Amino acid sequence: MSKRKALCFVLSVCLLFCCSCGGGATSSDGSPVTDNQTDTTPADQKFGLLYCAKDLLNPFEATTKANQELGLLLFDPLFKLDDNFKLVNVLAKSFEQKDNTITVTLKNQLKFSDASVITADDIVFSFDEAKKSETYKYTLSGIVSCERVSDSTVRFKTAKKDIFAVNLLTFPIVKSGSTERFDADNVA
């Protein structure tokens, strides 16, 4: 009887695999690849990224771990922490910390993928979105506010003096207003 159950299990897994992979190939725009459209990219130059199509790619609203991790690849933060928890500048050129304020200056001529320049307004917008999100609100709970000082400078205020507060500025930076954009199917 146990051999029969094992055989049923193996057949079920094979059937599940065959059914889930039988959708056919699709191009980068989501359209099916036909015999007329062949992908000539060498196999050793292809890669794929895991994501959940039923979840959002907005890094502040994504609920699945796959899409949250993908957000870390798609959107850069001001800073990252290396393997030894040392601060690494990403979008930030420099920072100055005094009492309960952290002033961050952006690197020159940073751009989003649409070629628009990343400004202090984008940092403030991203901070506000991060503070509202389930993913970042607890991490940022010690940071009270973020304000624009100039086009390339922002100032964060912390609840109390903390020399490690700058290590919390690892939230993704998105374009100001981008979370209100919708596609042709009215999907955020």
Side-chain angles (χ1 to χ4, degrees):
M1 192 74 141
S2 82
K3 286 183 182 180
R4 189 174 176 185
K5 286 183 181 178
L7 181 61
C8 287
F9 176 74
V10 170
L11 289 174
S12 297
V13 170
C14 288
L15 182 63
L16 178 66
F17 179 74
C18 290
C19 291
S20 65
C21 294
T26 58
S27 66
S28 61
D29 66 359
S31 63
V33 175
T34 63
D35 291 335
N36 303 6
Q37 293 176 294
T38 55
D39 185 1
T40 58
T41 307
D44 64 340
Q45 293 181 7
K46 292 182 183 181
F47 73 95
L49 296 173
L50 177 66
Y51 77 99
C52 178
K54 294 183 180 183
D55 191 12
L56 299 172
L57 288 176
N58 177 336
F60 306 119
E61 295 182 18
T63 57
T64 60
K65 187 67 173 169
N67 287 18
Q68 289 171 349
E69 292 294 324
L70 186 58
L72 298 175
L73 295 173
L74 295 173
F75 304 99
D76 283 329
L78 292 170
F79 303 97
K80 285 184 179 178
L81 299 176
D82 69 10
D83 293 338
N84 296 315
F85 300 104
K86 183 180 175 197
L87 198 65
V88 177
N89 294 15
V90 179
L91 299 180
K93 178 179 180 180
S94 63
F95 75 94
E96 181 183 335
Q97 194 165 358
K98 186 176 180 181
D99 296 327
N100 66 335
T101 63
I102 304 166
T103 304
V104 178
T105 302
L106 297 174
K107 292 178 180 177
N108 296 331
Q109 296 303 310
L110 293 170
K111 295 183 180 184
F112 288 108
S113 60
D114 68 353
S116 63
V117 176
I118 298 173
T119 67
D121 294 328
D122 300 311
I123 308 304
V124 173
F125 176 80
S126 298
F127 174 78
D128 292 341
E129 291 296 307
K131 283 285 276 189
K132 294 186 284 185
S133 77
E134 288 299 317
T135 306
Y136 296 97
K137 72 179 180 181
Y138 298 110
T139 303
L140 294 173
S141 62
I143 300 179
V144 179
S145 66
C146 175
E147 65 180 350
R148 177 186 191 276
V149 175
S150 70
D151 277 348
S152 61
T153 307
V154 291
R155 182 176 299 120
F156 295 91
K157 292 196 188 262
T158 59
K160 60 183 179 178
K161 185 177 179 179
D162 180 1
I163 61 169
F164 297 110
V166 69
N167 293 7
L168 303 176
L169 303 179
T170 59
F171 57 92
I173 305 303
V174 301
K175 190 172 182 174
S176 180
S178 63
T179 57
E180 283 84 39
R181 295 174 61 189
F182 296 89
D183 66 12
D185 296 329
N186 204 27
V187 176

